[in-house]
Amino acid sequence: MDGNHETADPLAAKSAFYEPRRGGFVASELTRGPWDPDAQHAGPPAALLGREVERLAGIGDGPADRIVGRITFEILAPVPIAAVRASAAVVRPGRRVDMVEATLTDDSGEPLVRARAWRLLRRRVELPPTPPLSDRRPPPPEEVETNDSFFPTGSEVGYHTAMEGRFVSGAFTEPGPGVAWMRMRHPLVAGEEPSPLQRVLVAADSGNGISGPLDFRRFVFVNVDLSVHLARMPVGEWVCLDAVTAPEPTGIGLTGAVILDEDGPIGLAAQTLLVAER
């Protein structure tokens, strides 16, 4: 657990989202999502696959000089709070750009989440002044009160307690667009410091929750995918999502979010939603 954060007693025994075990990982209750008490929130599995992508050896200059410019996750099935395995491979090598595929499976080998990512060579380029992704600049997290109120999931421990949230506008329990800072209260993998990419991915899947336009008690608005585009990695522990969700009577919804750190915008996230009455 991060030494800078104090947590409530139910979290004291939960040191990380995942514990390494026999070549795979065992998910803790900290991964629990809001839709099913036996299934993980998609943020931790996304971050776990991101970990595989960034650790994978590359071609030429190697992974240390490559940055993930885009990563898309296809959520094939609910991810159980149980043992999982993660793997990745370069499927399109290149000197300046490569494509990586990563897969999360259950212990039997059944695919649960698949991801594809572009890794681009990182080099300093002198550019003329250009407009940012967004002109909006939320106040820094230290100027925003902690607001951890979450949907009534019925579970004492889960993703909603493993993450700290500070809303600039909106709330998880307030329908409509929202802007929120988020940070991990625990490492992704026990004994490891989360990487900047992991910090982005564990939070980015929360866009539809931060900006949920419908009553959680009456509707589900769960995403079937997540795409994250990044111009750079975040600085510091905090990641901000400036999100809006638009549900349609067709039963389909879309969520879009600008991703920021304390220096400004760093990327974009998008989700396709299944919208239905409970």
Side-chain angles (χ1 to χ4, degrees):
M1 188 174 69
D2 290 348
N4 295 332
H5 313 315
E6 293 182 2
T7 55
D9 288 341
L11 299 179
K14 314 296 180 183
S15 62
F17 289 91
Y18 298 99
E19 295 280 344
R21 186 175 301 175
R22 295 192 298 274
F25 305 90
V26 176
S28 76
E29 291 179 277
L30 298 175
T31 63
R32 178 178 288 117
W35 307 110
D36 181 340
D38 297 319
Q40 297 184 40
H41 188 283
L48 196 62
L49 286 181
R51 175 182 178 273
E52 294 297 310
V53 168
E54 63 187 346
R55 290 162 64 96
L56 188 65
I59 304 296
D61 294 276
D65 288 317
R66 292 173 188 256
I67 186 171
V68 173
R70 190 271 290 166
I71 184 165
T72 296
F73 302 90
E74 310 291 355
I75 304 169
L76 306 177
V79 181
I81 303 174
V84 294
R85 293 182 179 274
S87 61
V90 175
V91 295
R92 188 277 197 190
R95 290 177 58 84
R96 294 187 294 180
V97 178
D98 64 23
M99 174 175 276
V100 174
E101 286 187 353
T103 305
L104 187 77
T105 67
D106 62 18
D107 228 12
S108 70
E110 187 70 21
L112 302 170
V113 182
R114 284 203 174 100
R116 276 195 168 193
W118 284 110
R119 300 189 306 176
L120 291 78
L121 191 64
R122 176 168 34 198
R123 285 291 184 268
R124 185 69 183 174
V125 181
E126 296 300 328
L127 298 176
T130 55
L133 284 171
S134 172
D135 291 328
R136 298 182 65 173
R137 290 292 191 278
E142 58 268 18
E143 296 180 10
V144 182
E145 290 187 10
T146 299
N147 180 355
D148 285 328
S149 59
F150 201 72
F151 306 121
T153 66
S155 299
E156 188 177 14
V157 176
Y159 177 88
H160 61 290
T161 56
M163 300 290 291
E164 181 179 357
R166 299 187 180 184
F167 275 83
V168 176
S169 63
F172 280 120
T173 54
E174 179 182 311
V179 180
W181 290 99
M182 300 182 71
R183 71 173 170 183
M184 304 164 71
R185 286 187 164 119
H186 303 266
L188 181 70
V189 175
E192 295 182 8
E193 179 70 18
S195 71
L197 178 64
Q198 292 166 28
R199 293 186 186 279
V200 169
L201 296 180
V202 79
D205 189 69
S206 295
N208 60 325
I210 288 170
S211 62
L214 303 170
D215 187 339
F216 178 84
R217 295 165 294 184
R218 290 188 53 202
F219 298 92
V220 295
F221 38 96
V222 59
N223 58 303
V224 297
D225 61 13
L226 170 66
S227 288
V228 176
H229 295 254
L230 294 167
R232 62 178 176 84
M233 292 297 155
V235 176
E237 296 181 307
W238 289 97
V239 173
C240 183
L241 299 180
D242 184 344
V244 61
T245 294
E248 294 291 338
T250 57
I252 299 172
L254 297 175
T255 295
V258 176
I259 308 171
L260 306 98
D261 66 4
E262 294 191 58
D263 291 335
I266 65 170
L268 302 168
Q271 298 164 293
T272 306
L273 309 179
L274 169 70
V275 181
E277 292 192 67
R278 288 187 180 272

